[in-house]
Amino acid sequence: MARRTLPAPRRHFLASHAARRLLLGAWLGSPAEDLLFETGRYGKPRLAGGEGRRHRFNVSHSDERFLIAIGRQGRLGLDIEMIDRAVDYLGIGRSVFTGDEQLALGAARGEARRDLFFRLWTRKEALMKASGEGFQRPPRSFEIPAELRGRRPDGPIDYAGGRWRLLGLDVGAGADASIAIARD
């Protein structure tokens, strides 16, 4: 009998969602298999019923790495991206970054440009996921302030009618990650 294996991206996706279920079950003191999920207006998953209002989570995965954030009350979103040297940073930047972000990206050189691209991207995606709107709000429609573009920022930002805390996460070499947490 031939053994079938899932492609690596599918295995990574399934592993991150299994871990999400196990960690949420441990957090809530409930059997993981009893957890029920639903999606918000724009498809963001959440715990069903009252638990979804009391306990928030978000998952992000890129290649073999994934992150899971769990919190009480406040909305949160996170993003991790493996740093890909083959990306057209300036070309993509023209379609997803504001004019000031594009100028900063254009002024950076070599690895500094690559690193800034991924820092801007993970911060934007963390905010978009935290709000629950995702790509309903174009990433070019809001700006990551200069003071939050460094390696490990930790500061406030107004976005989507709310006040957020935006942090850069240390996830080791070869990746960048950010988390946005509601302050309201």
Side-chain angles (χ1 to χ4, degrees):
M1 176 169 9
R3 184 174 157 201
R4 300 176 107 182
T5 59
L6 295 172
R10 182 73 180 150
R11 282 195 319 269
H12 301 152
F13 175 85
L14 292 172
S16 70
H17 288 288
R20 172 190 75 178
R21 183 174 282 278
L22 291 169
L23 289 170
L24 282 168
W27 172 271
L28 297 168
S30 300
E33 61 272 10
D34 290 350
L35 297 179
L36 298 175
F37 297 90
E38 59 189 19
T39 56
R41 179 176 175 195
Y42 298 110
K44 182 178 181 181
R46 63 182 177 219
L47 289 164
E51 290 300 331
R53 287 184 291 283
R54 289 189 297 276
H55 303 281
R56 306 294 178 104
F57 70 90
N58 198 233
V59 176
S60 182
H61 44 85
S62 181
D63 198 24
E64 294 181 356
R65 296 188 196 187
F66 64 88
L67 296 174
I68 299 172
I70 303 172
R72 289 188 174 92
Q73 302 297 329
R75 297 173 291 162
L76 52 87
L78 87 148
D79 186 45
I80 184 171
E81 297 291 336
M82 297 304 295
I83 294 175
D84 183 350
R85 288 170 169 59
V87 169
D88 176 7
Y89 308 116
L90 295 176
I92 294 172
R94 280 190 290 276
S95 64
V96 298
F97 296 147
T98 66
D100 187 61
E101 291 165 341
Q102 290 177 50
L103 286 173
L105 192 64
R109 297 287 178 252
E111 289 184 8
R113 177 178 288 165
R114 177 200 69 203
D115 293 346
L116 179 59
F117 175 88
F118 284 99
R119 285 195 306 266
L120 286 168
W121 181 258
T122 62
R123 282 148 183 72
K124 284 181 176 270
E125 190 162 343
L127 284 162
M128 293 185 309
K129 289 173 71 177
S131 74
E133 294 177 323
F135 283 90
Q136 297 299 312
R137 181 182 300 261
R140 193 173 180 178
S141 70
F142 66 97
E143 186 166 292
I144 303 300
E147 65 271 15
L148 294 177
R149 296 177 191 170
R151 286 204 183 281
R152 300 291 165 250
D154 180 352
I157 185 170
D158 293 325
Y159 170 74
R163 190 106 167 116
W164 304 86
R165 180 177 177 196
L166 188 60
L167 296 99
L169 303 174
D170 184 354
V171 291
D176 195 88
S178 299
I179 186 168
I181 306 165
R183 295 180 62 157
D184 47 9

